[in-house]
Amino acid sequence: MKKVAILVLESSVMQAIADPQYCFSAVNQFLGYSGKPLLFDIKLVGLRKEVKLNDGKYSVHADLLISDIQIYDLVIIPALFGDLNAALEANEDFLPWIIQQRQQGAEIASLCLGAFLLASTGLIDGKKCSTHWGFVNEFRRKFPFVEVQDGSIVTEENGIYSSGGATSYWNLLLLLVEKYTDRETAILASKYFAIDIDRSNQSAFMMFQGQKEHNDLEIQKAQNYIEQSIDGKLTVDELADLVALGRRSFERRFKAATNNSVLEYIQRVKIETAKRSFENSRKNINEVMMDVGYSDNKAFRTTFKKITGLTPIEYRNKYRKMA
């Protein structure tokens, strides 16, 4: 059997503990109904026997403690919630244990903001990692040696897995089911839990809020100007002149501050405005395109799909509010 440890973290999302347990238990049932041996031996593993979550509203009881000598095949790090720094401090005693399990051959899977605890181990320095789209910038600042993946639902590198925002961790769970069983069982699980098994990115859910948590005042000035000039055709030279910098210096500082090139940033601001318009107005695609400064229909559609993963009409039909 595959021995699976689901960590019972302080300040974790209760569902991110319960859902993996539910998923692997259900797969055991599927296998049993088919006359096959059960595959997963699932344990909740904690620092103490009882952990209270959501301000004490819920209690989770661990089956085992990390002090119990066990070697696992798979360790699942659930999503964290609330003050991330406080959550990391409260769970720091897990770090050497996770490292030891990895050294003994375990695969490691982090769900959503569990990536922050995973990265704290140092196991993914120089490696790729996914996390919730809304925390990518904070993750980059805290773990500069990790290659965080914008928009990815699931990332895997050498037996270390991570997933994107919120319930996208179900796609990671299905990937693990497929790896440990087969495609047929994974498809059965996806149907049972009503999960799109092959969803590969979280781009359609991402909200671009600008990356202004830096201290470069000239770049902040340029960012503000971009956001106030949505309907215009901005150039890099125009923005560099605005803040009295040479083009090369401006581009270098802009990339360092925002993690986007100037043109990427302009595109993301324009497409975010277009998304809000599709969600909240009855404007057609051409009207929205003109509002955000595009005159080339093909260029607008191509850029929109590149950033959101959907065509403009697909996005509008998916998210527009009913009158």
Side-chain angles (χ1 to χ4, degrees):
M1 297 185 78
K2 295 293 183 183
K3 299 185 69 172
V4 179
I6 302 171
L7 302 188
V8 183
L9 303 181
E10 303 285 344
S11 300
S12 58
V13 177
M14 185 186 68
Q15 292 86 342
I17 298 172
D19 285 347
Q21 195 275 338
Y22 184 18
C23 178
F24 292 120
S25 296
V27 171
N28 272 346
Q29 283 193 329
F30 301 157
L31 295 172
Y33 293 152
S34 301
K36 298 176 183 177
L38 306 188
L39 181 61
F40 299 107
D41 178 15
I42 310 146
K43 301 296 184 188
L44 303 185
V45 179
L47 296 175
R48 49 199 174 90
K49 277 293 186 180
E50 181 184 25
V51 174
K52 293 186 180 295
L53 301 174
N54 287 36
D55 296 322
K57 293 182 177 67
Y58 305 103
S59 294
V60 180
H61 296 266
D63 299 307
L64 296 169
L65 303 180
I66 62 171
S67 56
D68 296 319
I69 306 302
Q70 297 283 331
I71 297 177
Y72 294 95
D73 297 293
L74 174 65
V75 173
I76 294 180
I77 304 173
L80 296 171
F81 181 76
D83 184 327
L84 285 176
N85 289 326
L88 292 176
E89 183 177 350
N91 292 291
E92 63 183 0
D93 287 346
F94 277 107
L95 299 180
W97 185 87
I98 295 170
I99 294 168
Q100 182 183 44
Q101 288 293 323
R102 178 60 178 165
Q103 291 171 341
Q104 292 171 336
E107 296 195 313
I108 312 293
S110 73
L111 311 185
C112 190
L113 295 181
F116 280 74
L117 190 68
L118 171 61
S120 297
T121 65
L123 291 172
I124 54 172
D125 284 354
K127 295 182 174 64
K128 297 180 176 66
C129 181
S130 292
T131 191
H132 194 294
W133 61 263
F135 293 80
V136 165
N137 293 334
E138 183 175 350
F139 189 92
R140 280 199 177 100
R141 288 193 299 272
K142 195 168 188 66
F143 305 106
F145 300 112
V146 179
E147 189 179 339
V148 65
Q149 302 296 288
D150 280 325
S152 294
I153 289 288
V154 174
T155 297
E156 186 272 333
E157 190 163 346
N158 298 325
I160 298 182
Y161 304 82
S162 52
S163 70
T167 56
S168 64
Y169 62 67
W170 273 101
N171 291 90
L172 173 51
L173 296 177
L174 292 177
L175 174 68
L176 293 168
V177 169
E178 181 174 355
K179 174 175 180 176
Y180 290 124
T181 60
D182 51 40
R183 179 73 173 178
E184 182 182 1
T185 304
I187 290 173
L188 176 59
S190 77
K191 291 178 178 179
Y192 183 82
F193 293 111
I195 303 295
D196 181 357
I197 191 171
D198 289 321
R199 186 160 63 96
S200 61
N201 68 70
Q202 52 185 335
S203 299
F205 309 108
M206 296 171 68
M207 297 171 60
F208 185 67
Q209 300 167 322
Q211 292 133 330
K212 297 180 180 176
E213 297 177 358
H214 58 83
N215 298 316
D216 193 325
L217 298 181
E218 284 77 15
I219 300 306
Q220 287 181 0
K221 181 179 178 181
Q223 289 174 273
N224 291 333
Y225 185 78
I226 291 168
E227 292 166 9
Q228 293 162 9
S229 309
I230 296 295
D231 57 351
K233 293 184 180 298
L234 299 172
T235 67
V236 177
D237 288 331
E238 176 186 354
L239 293 167
D241 289 343
L242 174 72
V243 296
L245 291 171
R247 176 175 176 138
R248 185 172 298 178
S249 176
F250 173 67
E251 288 182 308
R252 176 181 54 78
R253 284 171 57 176
F254 197 98
K255 178 75 171 181
T258 69
N259 206 51
N260 282 270
S261 71
V262 182
L263 293 179
E264 285 171 344
Y265 192 91
I266 292 171
Q267 288 176 343
R268 293 186 72 178
V269 170
K270 287 178 177 290
I271 297 305
E272 188 64 28
T273 303
K275 286 164 59 181
R276 299 288 85 77
S277 186
F278 284 136
E279 292 166 13
N280 298 299
S281 78
R282 291 185 173 275
K283 291 182 178 181
N284 63 38
I285 292 171
N286 284 336
E287 288 173 320
V288 172
M289 177 187 77
M290 298 296 290
D291 286 346
V292 297
Y294 279 86
S295 57
D296 184 324
N297 191 285
K298 182 179 179 181
F300 174 68
R301 291 172 186 270
T302 300
T303 303
F304 193 96
K305 186 166 185 179
K306 175 184 175 184
I307 290 174
T308 68
L310 300 172
T311 66
I313 194 166
E314 287 171 340
Y315 190 92
R316 184 189 65 184
N317 292 342
K318 187 177 182 71
Y319 289 108
R320 185 169 62 186
K321 295 178 179 176
M322 299 298 292

